């Protein structure tokens, strides 16, 4: 599942490269608000308690994992972090302008497909393979495993698991904040 909604003010509609990068840094440092924690507690009451929860070590994922685990063991692992993104510090016409946030997100998506640092598609796919190896190891010890990560990395991870015939379930995971998606290991 994707982590809960981070406790962060909405970003401004128009942003410079610097403002957008500061927003990304604040997003990675943010945990969950008390209101979001309450929402997730109520949501997770209807789900069975997992035997183990594997989570990214970023605050929003770690706090979500604690809520979903309900005292089940938790393993924090940075391999399950979101795909790191940052707008480059190069003086181009495009990067020196004020743009809506969606333009910046589109630029980062383009950069990912073309393997532009900090982590392009190739590195993300390699990291997903590492994560799959760890999940296979963890899953062999417990019948009900939960993973709390981030939407971008989850999309890559689930795609790789499905291509390898390792899981059965929805083509794409729910990317709503804190919404679990069930998969069956093959």
């Amino acid at each position: 599942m994707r982590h809960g909604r981070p406790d962060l003010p909405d970003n401004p509609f128009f942003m410079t490269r610097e403002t957008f990068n500061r927003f990304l840094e604040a997003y990675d440092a943010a945990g969950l608000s008390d209101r979001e924690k309450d929402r997730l507690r109520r949501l997770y009451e209807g789900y069975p308690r997992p035997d183990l929860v594997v989570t990214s070590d970023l605050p929003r994922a770690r706090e979500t994992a604690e809520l979903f685990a309900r005292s089940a063991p938790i393993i924090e692992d940075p391999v399950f972090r979101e795909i790191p993104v940052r707008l480059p510090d190069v003086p181009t016409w495009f990067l020196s302008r004020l743009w809506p946030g969606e333009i910046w997100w589109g630029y980062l998506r383009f950069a990912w497909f073309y393997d532009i640092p900090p982590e392009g598609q190739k590195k993300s796919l390699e990291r997903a393979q590492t994560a799959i190896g760890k999940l296979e190891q963890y899953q062999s010890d417990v019948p009900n495993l939960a993973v709390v990560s981030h939407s971008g990395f989850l999309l890559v991870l689930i795609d790789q698991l499905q291509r390898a015939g390792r899981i059965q379930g929805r083509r794409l995971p729910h990317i709503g904040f804190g919404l679990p998606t069930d998969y069956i290991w093959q």
Side-chain angles (χ1 to χ4, degrees):
M1 80 179 74
R2 182 183 187 193
H3 58 80
R5 183 180 306 278
D7 187 15
L8 192 67
D10 291 338
N11 58 288
F13 184 78
F14 285 102
M15 293 183 280
T16 64
R17 174 186 63 213
E18 294 82 13
T19 304
F20 189 75
N21 281 338
R22 282 195 307 272
F23 174 78
L24 294 173
E25 291 166 5
Y27 195 89
D28 278 347
L32 305 178
S33 69
D34 289 339
R35 183 176 180 176
E36 180 68 354
K37 289 177 184 178
D38 289 341
R39 181 186 77 84
L40 293 177
R41 277 189 201 96
R42 287 190 306 275
L43 175 66
Y44 298 154
E45 286 174 359
Y47 287 89
R49 187 176 152 263
D51 298 307
L52 176 66
V53 178
V54 178
T55 182
S56 157
D57 62 339
L58 294 177
R60 61 193 184 273
R62 189 178 59 247
E63 291 176 18
T64 303
E66 291 167 359
L67 295 168
F68 192 75
R70 292 159 285 165
S71 78
I74 297 173
I75 295 174
E76 283 184 35
D77 193 329
V79 78
F80 293 93
R81 279 186 172 194
E82 180 58 286
I83 297 166
V85 293
R86 180 174 178 75
L87 295 171
D89 295 326
V90 292
T92 67
W93 178 88
F94 178 81
L95 291 171
S96 64
R97 298 292 182 256
L98 189 67
W99 296 103
E102 292 305 315
I103 299 293
W104 292 124
W105 285 115
Y107 176 88
L108 290 175
R109 182 81 168 153
F110 171 83
W112 182 79
F113 277 111
Y114 286 91
D115 287 318
I116 296 171
E119 182 175 298
Q121 184 178 20
K122 183 179 177 185
K123 283 187 180 180
S124 294
L125 293 172
E126 290 170 358
R127 189 160 55 96
Q129 290 305 310
T130 300
I132 288 168
K134 290 182 175 199
L135 289 177
E136 288 172 339
Q137 176 187 354
Y138 300 143
Q139 194 277 329
S140 68
D141 296 332
V142 296
N144 296 306
L145 171 72
V147 177
V148 179
S149 188
H150 308 268
S151 60
F153 189 68
L154 281 172
L155 292 170
V156 172
L157 182 64
I158 296 301
D159 179 65
Q160 292 300 296
L161 284 165
Q162 288 177 332
R163 286 176 187 261
R166 296 303 324 231
I167 60 171
Q168 179 182 7
R170 285 176 53 122
R171 174 70 184 108
L172 297 173
H174 292 293
I175 59 168
F177 288 110
L179 297 178
T181 305
D182 290 330
Y183 291 96
I184 298 171
W185 285 90
Q186 302 289 323

